[in-house]
Amino acid sequence: MNKEEQLIMGLRDLYNKIVFLNKFKMEEALKGYKPSEVHCIEYIGKNVEPNVTKLAEYFYMTRSAISKITKKLINKGVIESYQKPDNQKEIYFRLTEKGKEIYKIHEELHKGFHERDKVVFEEISEEQLDIMLNFVEKYNRHLDNKIKKQYKNISHKKSL
């Protein structure tokens, strides 16, 4: 296995361990909510004028899949939809008071996870962090370009 493969496998393994360690606390504290719903709540809580299109693009999901999630969240009373007076076409979402509570619980859990893992980051120099961040940014840009190209090709094939 070459170093690139080792890095990809290491990142995948790292991600899986983080998910595994966080899963039980998340499920316990956020009973009744699926991870996709919680992440949708988080996105709505952190972003200005979130709508189905923005959510779908962010999560790399179809607008139909996001519509299903947002309908469930509306039915659970954690988000509500609204329209702007000057744009009756577009539908946006915001958190309800109940949604803000879920958002806060989720944020507190992440603070706890950060505290748990802080010891690792304390051992890493600024220079090392900068190198890793630079790599992640480059890799993300590369994958973004591949996604755009693939999406463009899919869209083009559908129109034929």
Side-chain angles (χ1 to χ4, degrees):
M1 185 182 313
N2 67 33
K3 287 185 179 182
E4 287 91 357
E5 291 170 326
Q6 286 177 321
L7 180 59
I8 296 299
M9 291 298 291
L11 290 171
R12 185 179 303 139
D13 194 35
L14 181 67
Y15 174 78
N16 288 338
K17 288 175 184 175
I18 291 169
V19 169
F20 176 77
L21 284 172
N22 296 356
K23 180 181 180 182
F24 300 106
K25 283 188 176 184
M26 289 282 223
E27 286 178 351
E28 185 180 316
L30 300 165
K31 279 187 181 134
Y33 297 95
K34 295 178 181 176
S36 59
E37 294 171 336
V38 174
H39 291 125
C40 192
I41 291 167
E42 178 185 31
Y43 182 90
I44 291 168
K46 287 185 176 181
N47 291 277
V48 177
E49 298 177 348
N51 59 24
V52 169
T53 302
K54 288 180 183 177
L55 286 160
E57 288 172 357
Y58 181 78
F59 291 112
Y60 300 99
M61 296 172 76
T62 64
R63 291 194 332 247
S64 173
I66 292 296
S67 291
K68 289 177 185 176
I69 293 170
T70 55
K71 283 178 187 170
K72 286 180 184 178
L73 293 174
I74 288 169
N75 289 337
K76 289 180 178 186
V78 293
I79 67 169
E80 59 188 10
S81 61
Y82 69 95
Q83 294 175 304
K84 294 183 193 176
D86 60 332
N87 181 356
Q88 292 297 306
K89 182 182 171 195
E90 193 64 55
I91 296 172
Y92 301 95
F93 303 104
R94 62 180 159 232
L95 299 179
T96 62
E97 287 305 314
K98 185 176 179 182
K100 289 175 185 175
E101 290 173 24
I102 299 298
Y103 177 85
K104 185 177 179 189
I105 290 168
H106 184 249
E107 289 297 301
E108 291 299 318
L109 285 167
H110 275 284
K111 284 180 187 173
F113 302 148
H114 179 72
E115 279 298 312
R116 174 196 68 205
D117 300 335
K118 192 166 81 172
V119 63
V120 175
F121 292 95
E122 289 171 345
E123 296 177 8
I124 297 172
S125 71
E126 279 295 312
E127 184 181 359
Q128 289 172 314
L129 271 175
D130 288 340
I131 290 168
M132 288 185 274
L133 285 170
N134 185 38
F135 168 76
V136 168
E137 288 169 10
K138 280 183 182 178
Y139 200 13
N140 264 312
R141 278 194 305 271
H142 166 74
L143 295 177
D144 285 342
N145 289 332
K146 295 294 179 186
I147 289 168
K148 285 177 189 171
K149 185 177 178 183
Q150 184 174 336
Y151 181 74
K152 185 178 179 183
N153 288 339
I154 291 169
S155 297
H156 178 68
K157 287 178 186 174
K158 286 183 180 178
S159 65
L160 295 177

